[in-house]
Amino acid sequence: MRIAFIGQQDFGKAVLEAFLERGDEVAAVFCAPEKPGAKPDVLKTAAVEKGLTVFQFPSLKSPEAEAAMRGLNADIGIMAYVLQFAPQSFVSIPTHGTIQYHPSLLPRYRGPSSINWPIARGELQTGLTIFRPTDGLDEGPVILQKSCPIGADATLGDVYFDNLFPMGVAAMLEAADLVVAGQHVEIDQDEDAASYEGWFRAAEAEIHWSSHAEQIYNLIRAANPAPGAWTTHDGKKLQIFDCSLHRIRKLADVVGKPGEVIAVDDQGFSVCAQGGQIEVRKVKAEGGKKVAAAEFAREAGLAVGQVLGR
């Protein structure tokens, strides 16, 4: 098939390479222009190395972008991680229209941080959806869905790189084949079951030690490796990455108050929260690098009785 490819970053690059490796023709690649001083997107770099035509329009709503798409005579448009808005006047140009990847089981978790939120909410399952892009945010008809479990200790990195990334690449190929062959079924999303979540950024990743330990643990997992859940120590930001959850079964086992450091050892340090303890193993201090929590504790003079988040 002849493809018009729209995407960004590592996922876009992987999907592009998957289509090329199996012999499909890529008519051109659309990717967002770089910000001043930024390195070229890895998708753009890969496309240039392969001798492909690359378009970088500030807006896909522009007449220039639509004219470029019309000139490609593409069978299908492929959207693989796209942050630019792509209007119907653009995505409907290829003969068989355009399909888009979204890393959640739509209509749940529409929005830009759809991998983080299910983990932060303690969900046990997530997945991906290949759908028809419309002018609404992640609202188009569903073509294909795949689900995967969220392990009790799985981080954002685990869920994405072990599941949603490779599954997504394969699903894009499968969905494109179905659409071009006319063998797909489009199912409208159930608006009554829809949910939307905004960005999961630093503000959303702040740890509130008065929350239940399980909620804190889920938040840390959802922010690992990015944006990094955080608290403060001596007034400076401290990001927490690798950790484990120790649930308290009996009231008599409660030690300390929320946010209080209750143990420091060769493995790291433990912090008290409602209903349990967070055993911290890897951190990143403000202005520093990721280090073992034990190393940070030694260098920062972290001691039992100190309270984080003040």
Side-chain angles (χ1 to χ4, degrees):
M1 64 186 73
R2 182 174 169 83
I3 294 168
F5 196 91
I6 310 102
Q8 290 173 237
Q9 301 188 13
D10 290 323
F11 182 73
K13 176 176 179 286
V15 175
L16 173 69
E17 291 175 341
F19 276 103
L20 290 172
E21 285 171 6
R22 71 174 200 170
D24 291 305
E25 180 185 2
V26 175
V29 172
F30 295 81
C31 60
E34 299 89 10
K35 294 180 180 179
K39 295 181 179 179
D41 189 286
V42 293
L43 171 62
K44 176 188 175 180
T45 300
V48 170
E49 289 175 352
K50 298 177 188 303
L52 301 175
T53 298
V54 176
F55 295 115
Q56 291 185 284
F57 296 106
S59 172
L60 297 179
K61 296 186 290 184
S62 67
E64 293 80 10
E66 291 183 18
M69 178 64 89
R70 290 187 187 283
L72 299 179
N73 295 316
D75 295 317
I76 189 170
I78 301 295
M79 293 178 66
Y81 190 73
V82 180
L83 297 181
Q84 288 180 297
F85 175 69
Q88 287 294 288
S89 56
F90 178 82
V91 299
S92 63
I93 293 172
T95 304
H96 297 279
T98 296
I99 60 174
Q100 182 174 355
Y101 165 85
H102 182 77
S104 83
L105 294 172
L106 292 174
R108 299 193 67 202
Y109 295 106
R110 293 170 175 169
S113 295
S114 54
I115 310 175
N116 309 76
W117 287 111
I119 303 172
R121 298 274 166 77
E123 300 272 8
L124 301 178
Q125 179 177 270
T126 187
L128 63 90
T129 303
I130 310 299
F131 70 106
R132 290 285 197 190
T134 64
D135 288 345
L137 182 61
D138 303 327
E139 296 177 5
V142 171
I143 294 170
L144 186 70
Q145 287 190 317
K146 305 284 185 179
S147 62
C148 67
I150 300 175
D153 299 308
T155 65
L156 171 73
D158 296 331
V159 173
Y160 183 56
F161 292 111
D162 294 347
N163 291 289
L164 296 180
F165 189 113
M167 286 170 55
V169 174
M172 289 298 276
L173 299 177
E174 181 181 351
D177 289 342
L178 290 172
V179 170
V180 172
Q183 297 177 349
H184 70 295
V185 176
E186 298 186 16
I187 302 173
D188 290 337
Q189 295 186 37
D190 180 1
E191 290 301 316
D192 291 337
S195 64
Y196 171 84
E197 299 292 346
W199 286 102
F200 189 98
R201 290 172 168 162
E204 291 73 29
E206 180 180 3
I207 298 170
H208 298 283
W209 293 106
S210 59
S211 300
H212 194 278
E214 194 146 350
Q215 292 176 298
I216 294 171
Y217 184 57
N218 292 340
L219 179 77
I220 295 170
R221 293 190 299 121
N224 184 3
W230 63 277
T231 184
T232 56
H233 173 250
D234 285 343
K236 294 184 179 180
K237 191 172 184 178
L238 177 67
Q239 291 178 296
I240 295 177
F241 293 96
D242 298 349
C243 66
S244 58
L245 171 64
H246 175 68
R247 296 176 180 85
I248 293 175
R249 303 298 182 186
K250 297 181 297 183
L251 187 60
D253 294 334
V254 175
V255 178
K257 57 188 176 183
E260 183 177 349
V261 177
I262 55 176
V264 179
D265 55 33
D266 292 340
Q267 301 302 312
F269 58 90
S270 296
V271 186
C272 181
Q274 299 287 346
Q277 303 164 6
I278 302 298
E279 300 174 359
V280 183
R281 297 294 176 253
K282 184 170 288 187
V283 300
K284 181 178 182 293
E286 187 173 322
K289 298 180 179 179
K290 285 185 184 179
V291 297
E295 179 182 338
F296 167 79
R298 288 193 301 270
E299 295 182 354
L302 186 70
V304 170
Q306 293 184 2
V307 179
L308 302 181
R310 288 182 172 178

